[in-house]
Amino acid sequence: SSHFALTTRPDTAAQLREVSEKISTGTKAIEVTGISPKILEAVPEQHLEEIRRLKKLVGTELTLHGPLVEPTGAVENRWDETARKFAEKTMFSAIERGHKLDPKGNIIVTFHSSNGLQEPETWIKDENGEQKIIQMGAVNERTGQIGSLPKLARDEYTQVSQDPMQKLKELNEENWQREFGQLNNEMLRGKEVVDVLLSKSEDQLQEYGGSKGVLEAFNLSQKAPEEYAQQIKNLEKKNRALAREVEREVNQLNYGSNLISDAYINFKKLFNDAYSATENPGDKQRLMNFRNEVAALTEEYKKDRTKIPELAEEISRGIRMLSSLEEPPQAFKPLREFAIDKASETFSNVALQAYKKFEDTAPIISIENPPMGMGLARAQDIKDLIEASRDKFIKKAEEQGILSKSAAKNQAEKLIGATWDVGHINMMRKYGYKDKDILKETETIAPDIKHIHLSDNFGLEHTELPMGMGNVPMKEHMELIEEYSKKAGELKKVIETGDWYQHFQVSPFKDTLQAFGASVYGAAPTPYWNSSADVIGGYFAGYGNVLPDVHFATYGGGFSGLPPELGGTLPGAGGRARLGGAPME
């Protein structure tokens, strides 16, 4: 039973009282629950200190369930870097509070891999045992927008085979065509205005120098507005009609120039996206050549606005080049790889910050798989997230001169791992998976497990039953963990049955011990909880009221219960002393 831990209630800041009550049950390990950021912040510092003292006094081991935040920074179907940084701050605050509970050890602090992120990939297993993706999330990195590719209707699961990556490729191609198509339309509008205007000026304003004269007037209006205004006034004195026509032409040229300038701004954005995204050597070289060629012209245009026709033509050439790239940029990317990248940034930063502040006593960040249906809930998701977080931790620690690469690797493996919730992964059943599939998940993550959460269910809802009351294959889970984990014997198993307790108000501890077949006295061979837990039915059943209240009223502790002759206040019955058959003389 020393390997099992009870949790405190998550809905109260009175965690000191909660820990004290759990200690009174005799449990040797407790998980302090701070899943609500607001409630965790409301726990007084003095209470954390008292919890630490209680821990030291009775020898209880503590862990902390950190707040449920979204480490990727995804909020309401949109990614936001500010939200990611806020989540990072919230998580580090929990790390600091966890360290107060165990300042000399490496307390385990659990965080979910996601909390609010949609499921990046929805996998099912059909009646034929075939595994397939029926829906995949995608994110537009430029806008932060998160969405899903079209989902198959339920009656099409087994009839239609679709490749979501192909769908994503088609979506990117459509988006690219649409983006540079809109850009081309903007460019054509601006170029048409300029071309028509200059052609008209060449025919009708010969007296003013034709198109060249109008371009020079436009350039002057941009560079020296006061001088241009004076020039128009002087022209009015000579030829009012000509002055008005020149002014109209310059205004129209300004309108066309603005359209071209806006198109150039959008063109640069698409160009930069293409340049940073492409890995095709030929595309890369073409883009580099164009950038070098257009750079001189844009600098010249800043000084001389008469170059607007040349700039328009060059942008048009650039648009044609973008449309012909062999590998256009992918605006939409699979949500899974994006989520792992952003979440690992958060976890690595929190771990590094914790190490810089606490060094060898830094808390351990243990990443938990959330209930199936939420983001990054499968074993491979957690494993990839852990590996990405460790890699970034190592790179940052080495670059900042905090640790050598080998030392950073050791710390990364020590400080970042997994909390494996067997109840959460059991919910794969609702997608058609069986015991062997669920156990394969445990086999995948077992080497990285640092902590275990126990709850049972029937694979459909997150009901948090005590172990043995649902269909979680607990024995097989534990056998796999013991086989693949080097520290299986040290892992604490936290009993999470909050929902069940709300209904029945009974501790799940005994039921959990029964489910595991634990020894009553902690040493083999007998007896075991699964065979003797109900022999006497608990403390207050089986043998009747073996400790009636009158015993405590009569023989309770304290001097006041003693007879007067011994300094107490309890009189003898009928003049007789309580401790003897006859009054004392």
Side-chain angles (χ1 to χ4, degrees), residues 238-521:
K238 299 178 181 179
N239 188 334
R240 183 179 178 84
L242 180 60
R244 289 289 173 259
E245 186 63 26
V246 169
E247 198 169 17
R248 277 195 299 270
E249 296 294 292
V250 168
N251 288 338
Q252 281 294 99
L253 197 55
N254 184 58
Y255 170 66
S257 171
N258 287 337
L259 290 175
I260 292 171
S261 296
D262 290 343
Y264 179 61
I265 291 171
N266 292 329
F267 170 76
K268 284 199 300 183
K269 181 175 176 294
L270 287 185
F271 180 92
N272 290 335
D273 290 340
Y275 187 82
S276 61
T278 187
E279 296 181 1
N280 182 286
D283 285 346
K284 198 83 167 181
Q285 188 61 50
R286 292 170 64 197
L287 290 167
M288 288 177 63
N289 292 341
F290 179 82
R291 183 177 61 182
N292 295 334
E293 292 166 5
V294 80
L297 179 59
T298 53
E299 287 300 316
E300 192 175 350
Y301 175 70
K302 292 176 183 178
K303 301 173 184 177
D304 182 4
R305 296 303 174 92
T306 65
K307 299 294 183 181
I308 186 67
E310 289 88 341
L311 179 63
E313 186 57 44
E314 198 67 7
I315 296 173
S316 295
R317 185 171 72 88
I319 292 173
R320 291 192 295 272
M321 181 198 60
L322 289 180
S323 70
S324 64
L325 292 178
E326 293 182 26
E327 294 182 6
Q330 308 295 299
F332 296 96
K333 293 190 175 181
L335 180 57
R336 183 182 183 275
E337 64 179 58
F338 178 85
I340 288 175
D341 177 53
K342 298 304 179 184
S344 62
E345 184 71 16
T346 299
F347 285 116
S348 63
N349 285 345
V350 173
L352 187 61
Q353 197 173 355
Y355 180 79
K356 286 194 288 188
K357 184 167 184 177
F358 303 117
E359 295 184 344
D360 291 338
T361 62
I364 292 170
I365 295 173
S366 200
I367 305 173
E368 179 179 356
N369 57 308
M372 288 299 301
M374 297 179 68
L376 304 179
R378 292 179 176 244
Q380 194 61 52
D381 297 332
I382 303 299
K383 191 173 189 67
D384 290 347
L385 177 54
I386 289 171
E387 290 178 358
S389 300
R390 287 173 175 172
D391 289 344
K392 289 182 178 180
F393 176 95
I394 294 167
K395 182 178 180 181
K396 293 169 186 175
E398 187 179 14
E399 287 178 348
Q400 296 177 30
I402 299 170
L403 292 166
S404 66
K405 187 172 184 178
S406 60
K409 185 175 184 295
N410 292 335
Q411 287 297 330
E413 292 176 355
K414 171 186 174 183
L415 297 178
I416 304 173
T419 290
W420 191 234
D421 193 307
V422 295
H424 291 173
I425 200 63
N426 197 59
M427 293 169 67
M428 286 178 65
R429 294 179 188 275
K430 64 183 177 182
Y431 296 109
Y433 291 92
K434 308 298 182 184
D435 276 3
K436 64 178 182 179
D437 305 306
I438 295 167
L439 293 172
K440 186 68 177 178
E441 297 289 307
T442 296
E443 182 180 336
T444 298
I445 198 64
D448 298 304
I449 294 177
K450 293 183 179 292
H451 204 44
I452 299 173
H453 280 176
L454 299 177
S455 66
D456 213 336
N457 57 54
F458 291 97
L460 299 177
E461 299 292 338
H462 186 217
T463 49
E464 291 189 325
L465 300 172
M467 300 311 301
M469 292 190 178
N471 56 19
V472 171
M474 193 62 241
K475 179 182 178 182
E476 292 83 352
H477 277 303
M478 294 312 302
E479 288 175 351
L480 284 170
I481 292 172
E482 289 170 2
E483 180 179 354
Y484 290 97
S485 173
K486 295 178 181 179
K487 297 186 177 182
E490 303 173 21
L491 298 176
K492 293 301 176 187
K493 306 171 189 67
V494 180
I495 304 169
E496 285 193 321
T497 55
D499 292 346
W500 183 82
Y501 184 81
Q502 285 183 348
H503 294 289
F504 300 100
Q505 300 294 306
V506 176
S507 171
F509 202 69
K510 183 189 73 172
D511 297 285
T512 303
L513 294 177
Q514 283 183 270
F516 276 84
S519 170
V520 173
Y521 301 112

Side-chain angles (χ1 to χ4, degrees), residues 208-225:
Y208 192 74
S211 59
K212 182 178 180 182
V214 172
L215 281 171
E216 289 176 351
F218 167 68
N219 185 52
L220 188 63
S221 71
Q222 301 295 306
K223 298 298 182 181

Side-chain angles (χ1 to χ4, degrees), residues 9-15 33-44 67 97:
R9 281 174 47 196
D11 58 348
T12 176
Q15 292 295 305
T33 308
I35 60 175
S36 166
K38 184 176 181 180
I39 291 177
L40 182 59
E41 285 288 307
V43 179
R97 309 213 86 192

